[in-house]
Amino acid sequence: MALFAVALLAAAVAQFSPGRGEAGGEARTALLIEIDGAIGPAAARQIEEGLAAAGGRNAEVVILRLNTPGGLATSMREIIADILASPVPVVGYVAPSGGHAASAGTYILYATHVAAMAPGTNLGAATPVEIGMPFSEPPGNGDRDPGNKDDKSPTQPEPTPDAMRTKVTNDAVALIRSLAELHGRNADWGEKAVREGVSLSANAALEARVIDLVARDTSDLLQAVDGRKVEVGGSMRVLATKGLPVETLEPGWLIRFLSVITDPNIAVLLMLIGIYGLVFEFMSPGAVAPGVIGTISLLLGLYTLNLLPIDYAGLALMLLGILFLIVEAFYPTVVLGVGGLAAFLLGAVMLLKVEAPGYRLSWTIIAIAVALLAGLLLATGRHVWSARKGPARMGAQAMPGLPAEILDWSGGAGHVLAQGERWRAQSEESFAAGEKAEIESVRGLTLIVRRKRAQIQSTGELP
């Protein structure tokens, strides 16, 4: 009985102990996830793991601090889906002062349960941009007078933008409007940011009901959102954030590594290192290190490209160009080398489907890649030229000057042993079996021999 009373008392103390959460006995806290840079696979993974950690620790709120020029639409949609499914309220916060949430960052901010900005920041410019999109009027705009409803002349048709641009833009508009309606924000301005690429400062965004508040720092932010009602998982929750400690969730080594290699320029360089490593390994079998480094680099490059929205025709051209250059290195033809160089250059230009901020192929990197491949081609060509200019190493042209042993001889002809083979031989000189001779030339399948020059100099005999 006494033991039961002690257990009951301990449970009561734990239940009403200050500074503890309602579940798991964890101290109430606000977790901070910082995204500083382009939105890509690394950022999507960082936010996914951060929200999962916040749910496991029953955090009161997650602060998603954004300072991004935008990024990939695929990663943006993954982040939005994670935010909407999060069991912990997410407060989007554009900071620090001078930062921005452009393009994909605007959509992510619209998806958060509470949207805030620091003074001196901006958001907007959410127009989706893809390679090949014409810079035409936004969908729905034309050159005709909007007040002239009777203008139906077939000779003045309304110009229509590219079909793909229309699809992408309308899809983006539908997304940002649905997010705005979900959290009671300005859907009309969101559509304008997509169609016209407009931007807003922090105070203007607050006045336009695009965001919920402006805060100087995280302490001011937690003070401002305290007591605010948000809908999480279909139920309303009142935020209790006043005075909460803020813990920053640092990205792990894998996310940091992923953020480096998912740069398409790094991916191209990794592929080049991989190809050069394999070429050196094939040219010098047994070196091991070039093959190991080359294989790892090539696989990393291909893995990176698999994470990015690439044009597979461009990738196929790049791989075909590299294959041609490898063949050129072993079987020089020059034609394959030039064709491989052209295929690689065209493939690099076509590689990425989008020109998202932070995910553009640098012309400098392309030039370096082409220069390296051209160097391989020039080295191969130089080797071929040297081989042609140098002495013959095999066949009839390589035999003059080689030694031969007389096997038998009679009347200016006989047989000799040269290069391990028995040959018919002729000469104007006389020889005896067992003598050493020198091949002067080859006539058909007959060797023309003479006495070795060393013998002539030592005996003083003339041919």
Side-chain angles (χ1 to χ4, degrees):
M1 188 69 179
L3 184 61
F4 177 78
V6 171
L8 185 63
L9 180 61
V13 171
Q15 177 73 21
F16 296 102
S17 177
R20 299 288 177 183
E22 296 179 359
E26 292 285 345
R28 295 171 57 250
T29 185
L31 299 182
L32 176 65
I33 302 174
E34 297 180 332
I35 302 298
D36 195 353
I39 301 296
R45 184 160 185 164
Q46 180 183 353
I47 293 174
E48 178 187 7
E49 293 182 1
L51 294 178
R57 295 173 55 177
N58 196 30
E60 181 68 23
V61 71
V62 171
I63 301 174
L64 179 58
R65 189 183 70 78
L66 295 169
N67 180 20
T68 174
L72 302 178
T74 51
S75 299
M76 174 197 76
R77 287 183 177 271
E78 291 177 13
I79 293 172
I80 290 173
D82 290 335
I83 291 174
L84 297 181
S86 172
V88 179
V90 179
V91 177
Y93 183 43
V94 184
S97 295
H100 61 160
S103 190
T106 301
Y107 297 85
I108 294 172
L109 190 65
Y110 260 77
T112 56
H113 300 90
V114 180
M117 297 175 68
T121 57
N122 65 280
L123 83 164
T127 304
V129 178
E130 294 207 12
I131 293 176
M133 278 191 173
F135 291 94
S136 56
E137 290 294 322
N141 292 348
D143 294 334
R144 293 187 302 171
D145 181 4
N148 186 3
K149 299 181 180 179
D150 297 329
D151 184 10
K152 299 181 181 179
S153 172
T155 60
Q156 296 180 353
E158 181 178 354
T160 57
D162 181 75
M164 182 56 69
R165 179 187 178 93
T166 304
K167 289 180 181 179
V168 173
T169 303
N170 288 341
D171 181 63
V173 167
L175 174 62
I176 203 166
R177 289 195 72 94
S178 64
L179 295 174
E181 293 166 0
L182 185 64
H183 297 298
R185 300 195 182 111
N186 191 334
D188 292 336
W189 184 87
E191 179 173 351
K192 194 174 181 181
V194 175
R195 295 193 183 278
E196 301 178 17
V198 297
S199 299
L200 283 178
S201 64
N203 290 329
L206 182 62
E207 292 177 4
R209 294 186 303 105
V210 172
I211 61 173
D212 301 306
L213 54 98
V214 175
R216 294 186 305 275
D217 51 34
T218 53
S219 299
D220 188 25
L221 176 65
L222 293 175
Q223 180 82 13
V225 301
D226 184 61
R228 185 179 291 270
K229 291 183 179 180
V230 295
E231 183 178 351
V232 180
S235 60
M236 299 303 296
R237 182 182 299 185
V238 179
L239 300 180
T241 58
K242 187 175 180 180
L244 282 182
V246 178
E247 178 184 344
T248 302
L249 292 177
E250 297 291 343
W253 69 268
L254 183 59
I255 293 175
R256 294 178 186 272
F257 179 69
L258 196 62
S259 66
V260 173
I261 66 170
T262 48
D263 185 331
N265 299 292
I266 300 297
V268 171
L269 290 179
L270 283 172
M271 290 184 63
L272 284 176
I273 293 172
I275 294 303
Y276 265 86
L278 293 179
V279 168
F280 290 151
E281 180 66 29
F282 292 148
M283 295 178 69
S284 303
V288 180
V292 172
I293 296 173
T295 302
I296 293 174
S297 298
L298 185 60
L299 290 177
L300 281 176
L302 293 174
Y303 170 74
T304 300
L305 293 178
N306 183 59
L307 296 176
L308 301 176
I310 62 171
D311 188 323
Y312 286 98
L315 178 60
L317 275 173
M318 289 180 66
L319 294 178
L320 183 64
I322 290 171
L323 179 62
F324 283 170
L325 288 167
I326 292 176
V327 175
E328 176 73 18
F330 293 97
Y331 303 99
T333 63
V334 179
V335 176
L336 279 178
V338 174
L341 203 61
F344 183 88
L345 180 60
L346 290 173
V349 172
M350 296 168 53
L351 183 62
L352 289 182
K353 285 184 178 179
V354 298
E355 283 190 345
Y359 292 91
R360 294 185 176 96
L361 265 178
S362 167
W363 282 104
T364 303
I365 295 297
I366 294 177
I368 292 173
V370 171
L372 288 174
L373 293 174
L376 179 62
L377 178 60
L378 290 175
T380 303
R382 183 178 179 182
H383 176 73
V384 173
W385 181 255
S386 299
R388 290 196 174 189
K389 296 291 286 185
R393 299 182 181 275
M394 59 185 299
Q397 294 178 346
M399 297 193 72
L402 295 179
E405 181 181 354
I406 306 298
L407 297 177
D408 59 76
W409 198 264
S410 176
H415 295 88
V416 299
L417 181 66
Q419 296 290 294
E421 298 177 329
R422 189 171 184 270
W423 291 78
R424 286 182 57 84
Q426 294 179 353
S427 177
E428 296 179 355
E429 305 175 43
S430 297
F431 295 95
E435 279 192 78
K436 301 295 183 181
E438 182 180 83
I439 301 172
E440 182 178 0
S441 62
V442 180
R443 189 179 300 162
L445 296 178
T446 301
L447 301 182
I448 308 301
V449 297
R450 65 187 178 191
R451 293 190 184 278
K452 297 183 69 172
R453 293 178 181 177
Q455 293 178 346
I456 296 173
Q457 293 174 357
S458 63
T459 61
E461 297 181 5
L462 294 174

